Amino acid sequence: MDEVFRALADPTRRAILDELTARSGQTLFELRVRLIENHGSGSSRQAVSQHLAVLQEAGLVVARREGRYTFLNLDTSPLEEFVRDVEQRWRPS
């Protein structure tokens, strides 16, 4: 759960999740273009890669290699577990 909190704490990582929600299966290049167009992000390729590493560590993004390309897919299952945990922990009794 700590990894999911960490991943969601950054606005750039949330923007990446927004873009992968809109269209899963993007390459890093496609994702960077969408971040620039839709969020005005000026993040470098390396910075986006570092954000993706945090999202992958949290299990929110899964990379699939196919030939020369790596396709990035959203996995919402850690978010579902996160929401259940938050509801159980902080639900007023």
Side-chain angles (χ1 to χ4, degrees):
M1 186 158 142
D2 291 342
E3 291 86 6
V4 174
F5 265 118
R6 180 174 173 234
L8 296 176
D10 186 273
T12 300
R13 290 194 283 269
R14 291 193 301 269
I16 290 170
L17 293 177
D18 288 345
E19 292 307 322
L20 290 176
T21 298
R23 194 168 77 78
S24 197
Q26 297 181 59
T27 64
L28 176 59
F29 176 79
E30 293 169 324
L31 183 59
R32 274 200 66 221
V33 169
R34 291 178 67 100
L35 287 170
I36 292 167
E37 289 176 355
N38 298 332
H39 301 274
S41 171
S43 297
S44 68
R45 180 174 189 223
Q46 184 178 17
V48 174
S49 292
Q50 289 174 347
H51 286 300
L52 284 168
V54 174
L55 292 167
Q56 286 178 298
E57 186 179 315
L60 296 168
V61 172
V62 177
R64 175 180 48 86
R65 184 115 180 134
E66 196 172 303
R68 293 177 36 199
Y69 299 99
T70 300
F71 297 93
L72 304 162
N73 296 289
L74 178 66
D75 182 357
T76 59
S77 56
L79 287 177
E80 294 161 7
E81 185 178 323
F82 174 81
V83 169
R84 277 194 305 272
D85 193 40
V86 167
E87 285 177 345
Q88 288 175 350
R89 236 182 228 206
W90 294 302
R91 175 178 282 174
S93 49

